[in-house]
Structures are given as C-alpha cells and as structure tokens.
Amino acid sequence: GLIAELTDRLARLSPPAAEKRPCTLANFGPEIVYDPDAAQVVMFEMLEEAGVIRGYQASLDRDEVGLGLTVFVGVKVERHNDEQAEAFRLAVTALPEVVSAFLVSGESDFLLQVVVPDLRAYDRFLTECLLPLPGVSDIRSNFAIHTVKTPGALPLGHLPL
C-alpha cells in the first residue's frame, strides 16, 4: 500500500540500517550529498501522485479580503433522484461563492457553505444564483455570527505511521 511504499522510498534516503548509527551528515560519507528536505520532498511527491494531496491553497482571512459573511445553506431538491442531484451538483460547483458543498441526510439534501461580502451580496446570490438552480424546492440559510474554528489539519492519528 501507500504507507509501505512511502516507508520503502524514505528508507532509501537514509544511511544503511546496518550501521546502527544516529542519522547525521557525518554518517553519509563524502560521496553522498544529503539534503535534509529530501525525505519530505519524496513524501509529498508520493502523496500527490497517489491523489492523497489534491492541491495547495493559502488560508486567507475572509474579513481582510472583503468576504465578511459566511452562510450555511440547506437546500432541498424536488424528487431527489440521481439526475436531479447531478444537475444540482454540477451547477453548484460552478459557483465561486460556494466554498464547500455536501450531500447530507436530514431535513436538507445538500448543505452549502457560502462566503460573500455582506447581506446584500447574499440576497443577490440567493435570488440570482441559488433559487434558479435545477430542482431547488426549499432553501434555509443560517448565518455565521462568529468563527470559532476554521478548517485545519486533518486528524491523522489513526494512520499506521
């Protein structure tokens, strides 16, 4: 699997295990140039190739870039079937204001996270972009009052590293 391949490739960057010495530059000898970042580079390349890392992005302060309103939008679609859901999914992914979208269970069929500058911009987005989408039968908007925690690192403690 991916973990075994990663371990194998990282092992090839280290001095021979038979030497049983701490990993220092002196252990490598003059014929080997050791790049302390090489293991990290190999790891990131493998994770990218495997599709585990899907991309990189900067974490921006939404207020500082003029996107002060975050809205969690529950959307119901008519006759929730594959064709209707796919049409809605395709339309939603094209909207830059929608920063995340989920197919959910419960009262709504989809839960969207929308960021816009202000309430007026959300009103425009709602009436011009969301309501006209295929199959929309109901929309419930929940406005974020204060951000407690923003998306961060995934909890990977369960992986056998």
Side-chain angles (χ1 to χ4, degrees), residues 85-109:
E86 184 61 21
F88 180 82
R89 275 185 227 138
L90 289 172
V92 155
T93 59
L95 299 172
E97 296 88 350
V98 177
V99 296
S100 61
F102 304 91
L103 178 64
V104 296
S105 63
E107 292 181 20
S108 300
D109 297 313

Side-chain angles (χ1 to χ4, degrees), residues 20-38:
K20 303 281 191 222
R21 293 185 284 173
C23 183
T24 67
L25 288 177
N27 293 351
F28 282 93
E31 71 280 356
I32 297 176
V33 176
Y34 176 69
D35 178 0
D37 295 324

Side-chain angles (χ1 to χ4, degrees), residues 83-152:
E83 184 179 305
Q84 193 79 283
E86 184 61 21
F88 180 82
R89 275 185 227 138
L90 289 172
V92 155
T93 59
L95 299 172
E97 296 88 350
V98 177
V99 296
S100 61
F102 304 91
L103 178 64
V104 296
S105 63
E107 292 181 20
S108 300
D109 297 313
F110 293 91
L111 181 62
L112 314 177
Q113 183 181 15
V114 174
V115 293
V116 290
D118 53 31
L119 192 55
R120 182 172 294 179
Y122 180 68
D123 181 41
R124 227 178 4 263
F125 175 76
L126 179 65
T127 56
E128 296 173 12
C129 299
L130 281 186
L131 286 172
L133 290 181
V136 170
S137 67
D138 187 42
I139 292 179
R140 304 287 166 119
S141 303
N142 294 285
F143 298 90
I145 304 301
H146 178 76
T147 300
V148 176
K149 182 178 180 180
T150 58

